[in-house]
Amino acid sequence: CPGFAPSSSLRIHKVFTNQQVSYTSWFLDAFNYLLYKGDVDVINLSVGGPDFADRPFGDKVKEIVASGITLVSAMGNDGPAWGTLNAPGDAVEVIGVGASEADSGRVAAISSRGFPLGDRIPRMKPDYVAPGMGVLGAIPGGASCSPNHGTSVASPSVAGVAALV
């Protein structure tokens, strides 16, 4: 299951436990390490949450983008209702990615959408949609592929394209 940028180098940082628990400080540590290394052009976050007011996280996102790194993030799977966006994909500095149906190209029903909360200037998100329903992805160990669904599946495709630019 090769991606869009198969010759790219990857840095993978685990910021969740196996029980899907995470803390802002774990993200900040990973982001600080990437900034320290200075050899990253694109960051993909196949995660998101409802807390757009997490100031330390939001400030670090702005710092990352100001350093020249492109930040791509999944928008969430809380659609089809409007106002269901997740942070950090809802931030103006971040490329927010929704999921589309692979066969029709239409926005997938599960894909979050709407206007970011706390914005002074109304603008719609996601910025881009990419196939996110039934997309084949590698199974751990790389022996075969399986279908996956959601904006977390769509986001790496946009990050891969960004890596080629």
Side-chain angles (χ1 to χ4, degrees), residues 69-156:
I69 297 172
T70 300
L71 185 55
V72 179
S73 180
M75 292 302 307
N77 304 319
D78 301 313
W82 285 87
T84 54
L85 303 177
N86 283 294
D90 63 342
V92 68
E93 302 86 3
V94 175
I95 297 173
V97 181
S100 66
E101 300 283 346
D103 55 349
S104 69
R106 289 186 300 227
V107 176
I110 65 165
S111 190
S112 294
R113 61 200 82 189
F115 299 99
L117 297 173
D119 260 11
R120 295 182 186 148
I121 301 169
R123 60 188 165 74
M124 269 186 13
K125 286 274 194 165
D127 298 301
Y128 297 100
V129 294
M133 304 304 290
V135 175
L136 291 179
I139 293 176
S144 62
C145 301
S146 69
N148 297 283
H149 311 284
T151 61
S152 291
V153 176
S155 185

Side-chain angles (χ1 to χ4, degrees), residues 4 6 15 21-22 24-25 29 32 37 46 53 55 77 82 114 116 120-122 139 153 156:
F4 283 101
V15 292
V21 174
S22 185
T24 297
S25 62
D29 287 345
N32 284 332
K37 291 302 281 182
S46 285
R55 188 159 188 150
N77 304 319
W82 285 87
R120 295 182 186 148
I121 301 169
I139 293 176
V153 176

Side-chain angles (χ1 to χ4, degrees), residues 14-24 26-27 46-50 77 149 152:
K14 184 175 180 179
V15 292
F16 283 87
T17 66
N18 290 340
Q19 292 76 33
Q20 298 183 350
V21 174
S22 185
Y23 298 96
T24 297
W26 297 354
F27 279 93
S46 285
V47 299
N77 304 319
H149 311 284
S152 291

